[in-house]
Amino acid sequence: MTSFFEKLNILKNTLHLESARKKALGQELLNFIHHLDAVRAIETERHIQQRSGFLFNNPLLKPMPLLAIVTIFATLTGGVSFAAENALPGDILYPVKVNFNEEVRAALSFTPEAKAEWETRRAERRLEEATEISASGTINNKERVELEENFKEHADKVNARIDEFEEKGNLTVAADVANRFETSLKAHQEILARFESDDRAVQAEIKPLKKKVNDELDDISKTRIHIESRIATHDGKPETKTAAEGKLKAAINNIATTRNFIELRKENLGADATTEAEVKLKNAENLVLEGRAKIDAGTYGEAFNLANRAMRMAQEVRLIIEAEAKMNAKYGRKNLQIDLLKKKEVGNETDVKKESDDENKNTGNEETKNSLRVETEGNTEIQNGGAKSEGELRLHLGL
Amino acid sequence: MADVDKKNEFMQAYEHYADAIYRHCFFRVFSKERAEELMQETFMKTWQYLSNEEKEIKNIRPFLYRVATNLIIDESRKKKDISLDALIEESDAREPAYEGHKDAEKRALLKELYGNLEKLNADEKNLIVMRFVDDLDIAEIADILEITSNNVSVKLTRAVEKLKTL
């Protein structure tokens, strides 16, 4: 019989941080260090301005409610602004998160690419917050409207950056930003689609949010397709070849990381979700192979676009699974079960097909179409022209 | 320039000790996500201390363990009762690599270890993890906890005896 110490030895020697995760946390640590430097620089400036009497003319200071000012000073003793990072709409530290933490990080983004990345991240953060308060059932009208407005503000900035990159001829950078944003929106569209609730108040708030995300997704998809069509005409350029090769490598890494992530979480995902995710990842791998063939053929623009599609697929899978894991851990599996949908039923199955973007229609590739299939188990009876089902309702995500 | 050197040295310390601090935190809280957060918070608090121009840390390793220990104590004071299954389920949100072990085996081992450690008090748990996970010697543990080596020896012996009977 293995002793406690033998068991401990076995586990301790095999327990370590994944190197990618360690690197990511290290980057966050560096961001924190820069953030703290910025906070101290602002405080030094404030002291100087106070002494000189020009407090209210300082461009670094925006009009803020008293609570935010007090919170900022509390930040200087350490810890508060970091704690604000987990704040949600309605929390007391939420204004610090949005009006201070995020503004400081924006100020620390020096290149146009970094600015675009951070604006995309800010838009994503609003969607993540919306997902979380939807999952917890605490979403209300005021918070939803505020989230929507903030999201729109950041989404507009992302689109403006993409336009700038395109105007300056930085097509691959424009495509990267557009792809990243589109992937995030698509993933959040899927995630928000899960939150069907009996609570009418919650439903009333989730619906306009979904519409906002859908509208933005439509816009960014069109933008991305347009940019990709321009890239396809830059086939012969050496910089396009470099970009395509780099993007293919990144796509391969992304697929491998996502696959590893799913493998480690198989038990919590269920067979269907795992299978569907694997199908999507295999499609992504096929796109990488196609991309390689295009590079060999010298059509670098097409190769770049294919690599981006592969990245989008892998990233989307990861985002959805990550969100599901987080919500499951925080709010319990039963909160993600889908309530009865009032749809027409054929037998015990209801099919709800969603069309994905134009390129998927054109390829005719059935596997790349997104689909949402709802299965009911148990008895189904038809009453008054409608259908009523009992038993568990499962949502299959067509990833 | 001194600031840049300080930052570089600090990030080197991160490279060197992040894994060890993470492991320490994991065997105290049995949650991968929380262990990562505690590890990160340990380094952030250490930097906050270091970034004060007047402060200096001669030996960062025990300092890091001291910060981590204090954070875990704060954590345990706030923590509500939570089942082991819920902990492990939550911890699956971000799974560290378990080389050469299948998930089921690892989970079974973890459950056993958790159950065994729960029979100890907080001080004893801390000592066991420091000695047998972090491989710190008695003198190092005494330095970190700011108690005498004798005190460490006595408590550690008691904890080991308890575990041997399980």
Side-chain angles (χ1 to χ4, degrees):
Chain A
M1 193 160 144
T2 324
S3 74
F4 169 85
F5 296 100
E6 281 164 348
K7 289 174 214 165
L8 190 63
N9 226 24
I10 291 168
L11 273 177
K12 103 177 185 199
N13 289 332
T14 56
L15 179 66
H16 61 88
L17 274 172
E18 283 178 7
S19 57
R21 185 72 188 133
K22 183 178 171 182
K23 201 173 169 186
L25 290 170
Q27 185 56 51
E28 282 182 30
L29 182 61
L30 263 174
N31 290 344
F32 170 78
I33 291 171
H34 293 142
H35 177 175
L36 204 62
D37 286 347
V39 166
R40 291 200 168 136
I42 289 169
E43 173 57 14
T44 308
E45 176 73 19
R46 194 195 303 273
H47 276 318
I48 293 166
Q49 295 292 349
Q50 275 180 324
R51 281 198 293 272
S52 70
F54 286 112
L55 178 70
F56 296 107
N57 290 332
N58 190 327
L60 288 174
L61 296 176
K62 293 181 187 177
M64 283 186 217
L66 178 63
L67 175 64
I69 293 172
V70 168
T71 313
I72 285 164
F73 278 100
T75 297
L76 302 177
T77 62
V80 174
S81 68
F82 177 58
E85 279 299 292
N86 291 325
L88 291 171
D91 291 348
I92 205 161
L93 288 179
Y94 187 69
V96 178
K97 176 182 179 181
V98 173
N99 296 328
F100 184 73
N101 285 7
E102 292 188 359
E103 290 298 326
V104 169
R105 284 172 78 171
L108 294 173
S109 305
F110 299 115
T111 64
E113 287 87 344
K115 287 184 192 301
E117 162 109 20
W118 179 234
E119 283 302 334
T120 306
R121 187 70 197 109
R122 285 184 90 168
E124 282 172 358
R125 278 156 75 99
R126 301 295 85 82
L127 293 179
E128 284 161 13
E129 287 157 8
T131 304
E132 193 152 347
I133 59 176
S134 299
S136 68
T138 58
I139 188 170
N140 63 41
N141 182 266
K142 180 172 177 286
E143 286 161 7
R144 191 264 304 164
V145 167
E146 191 184 329
L147 272 172
E148 254 186 55
E149 284 170 4
N150 283 340
F151 167 73
K152 184 82 178 80
E153 189 187 321
H154 299 306
D156 286 347
K157 284 182 183 171
V158 174
N159 285 316
R161 294 257 171 231
I162 293 170
D163 289 342
E164 271 175 42
F165 288 131
E166 205 192 336
E167 274 162 32
K168 288 179 181 165
N170 292 336
L171 295 179
T172 53
V173 173
D176 279 346
V177 177
N179 265 298
R180 160 105 195 248
F181 195 36
E182 186 182 358
T183 304
S184 182
L185 287 173
K186 217 168 186 184
H188 282 97
Q189 180 192 55
E190 292 278 1
I191 292 159
L192 280 172
R194 296 170 182 241
F195 295 114
E196 300 288 347
S197 169
D198 279 342
D199 186 333
R200 284 182 182 229
V202 171
Q203 268 306 318
E205 298 311 326
I206 292 175
K207 203 169 164 187
L209 255 177
K210 285 181 190 173
K211 183 169 183 323
K212 182 67 73 187
V213 171
N214 291 346
D215 290 345
E216 280 299 332
L217 183 55
D218 277 341
D219 285 346
I220 196 69
S221 296
K222 285 173 188 151
T223 302
R224 191 257 309 154
I225 290 168
H226 161 73
I227 295 170
E228 284 182 349
S229 68
R230 285 191 64 189
I231 287 173
T233 65
H234 285 66
D235 275 345
K237 294 192 173 183
E239 57 266 32
T240 313
K241 184 185 181 192
T242 308
E245 282 169 347
K247 191 58 70 173
L248 276 174
K249 272 194 195 137
I252 291 166
N253 284 342
N254 218 306
I255 292 165
T257 311
T258 304
R259 190 169 269 128
N260 191 42
F261 183 74
I262 295 167
E263 181 63 31
L264 292 169
R265 295 208 62 259
K266 234 191 236 183
E267 283 177 24
N268 285 335
L269 284 177
D272 285 349
T274 312
T275 308
E276 286 160 9
E278 186 52 41
V279 165
K280 191 92 173 176
L281 289 177
K282 279 206 161 42
N283 289 340
E285 280 172 336
N286 288 339
L287 288 171
V288 167
L289 288 173
E290 278 182 55
R292 278 219 178 103
K294 295 288 183 187
I295 287 190
D296 292 341
T299 49
Y300 307 129
E302 287 183 46
F304 180 86
N305 291 339
L306 283 165
N308 259 334
R309 267 178 68 194
M311 284 276 281
R312 276 205 305 281
M313 276 188 197
Q315 281 167 347
E316 201 184 307
V317 167
R318 174 136 192 171
L319 280 173
I320 291 172
I321 287 173
E322 208 156 13
E324 180 179 356
K326 190 177 174 187
M327 293 302 121
N328 281 349
K330 253 187 145 170
Y331 301 111
R333 279 195 176 278
K334 68 176 183 183
N335 288 341
L336 285 184
Q337 280 180 1
I338 303 302
D339 295 336
L340 290 173
L341 294 174
K342 294 184 172 59
K343 296 276 181 200
K344 252 190 178 174
E345 287 186 336
V346 178
N348 279 341
E349 270 195 1
T350 301
D351 280 334
V352 178
K353 295 276 188 225
K354 279 162 84 171
E355 292 296 333
S356 74
D357 53 37
D358 288 344
E359 62 186 20
N360 289 333
K361 275 189 207 172
N362 290 339
T363 61
N365 186 348
E366 287 299 318
E367 287 179 333
T368 61
K369 282 187 182 178
N370 292 330
S371 66
L372 197 69
R373 193 175 85 243
V374 175
E375 278 183 4
T376 61
E377 290 178 346
N379 299 323
T380 304
E381 32 179 295
I382 310 294
Q383 289 183 345
N384 300 326
K388 179 184 164 189
S389 289
E390 294 174 341
E392 188 186 58
L393 192 77
R394 287 201 308 262
L395 176 72
H396 296 272
L397 268 192
L399 291 173
Chain B
M1 206 46 160
D3 272 353
V4 172
D5 288 341
K6 216 181 203 180
K7 230 174 265 186
N8 288 339
E9 271 180 40
F10 177 74
M11 290 311 293
Q12 276 174 25
Y14 172 81
E15 279 305 312
H16 205 66
Y17 296 117
D19 222 34
I21 299 293
Y22 165 78
R23 216 167 12 249
H24 175 88
C25 294
F26 179 84
F27 280 104
R28 293 302 313 282
V29 300
F30 278 85
S31 160
K32 294 161 197 76
E33 197 171 344
R34 195 62 195 119
E36 282 179 5
E37 287 171 358
L38 284 166
M39 182 274 286
Q40 204 176 20
E41 223 174 311
T42 299
F43 280 93
M44 285 176 175
K45 286 213 175 290
T46 303
W47 176 254
Q48 279 181 313
Y49 180 88
L50 260 178
S51 60
N52 189 324
E53 280 169 13
E54 293 151 10
K55 304 278 187 187
E56 196 193 329
I57 299 173
K58 286 191 179 137
N59 188 352
I60 200 166
R61 189 188 183 208
F63 190 92
L64 289 169
Y65 277 107
R66 201 174 295 138
V67 172
T69 300
N70 288 338
L71 285 171
I72 290 163
I73 290 171
D74 292 343
E75 168 96 351
S76 65
R77 281 183 191 146
K78 282 185 279 187
K79 203 174 76 173
K80 298 166 204 170
D81 257 2
I82 186 166
S83 74
L84 172 63
D85 283 334
L87 264 179
I88 290 183
E89 195 178 309
E90 183 226 317
S91 79
D92 283 343
R94 223 175 250 129
E95 183 95 9
Y98 282 89
E99 292 166 352
H101 284 275
K102 295 171 193 169
D103 271 4
E105 272 180 54
K106 179 247 326 177
R107 286 169 73 89
L109 275 174
L110 269 178
K111 275 191 177 174
E112 280 182 54
L113 273 177
Y114 178 81
N116 292 155
L117 282 169
E118 280 299 285
K119 304 237 170 22
L120 306 176
N121 63 39
D123 281 349
E124 288 166 344
K125 264 188 248 185
N126 197 21
L127 288 169
I128 291 290
V129 171
M130 282 186 165
R131 183 74 190 92
F132 297 103
V133 174
D134 305 329
D135 293 329
L136 295 164
D137 63 36
I138 304 288
E140 285 171 323
I141 296 173
D143 180 26
I144 290 165
L145 299 178
E146 291 173 319
I147 55 178
T148 64
S149 296
N150 192 49
N151 207 334
V152 171
S153 291
V154 166
K155 286 183 178 172
L156 194 56
T157 305
R158 207 175 289 152
V160 168
E161 286 306 316
K162 265 192 197 173
L163 288 168
K164 277 183 181 170
T165 61
L166 295 174

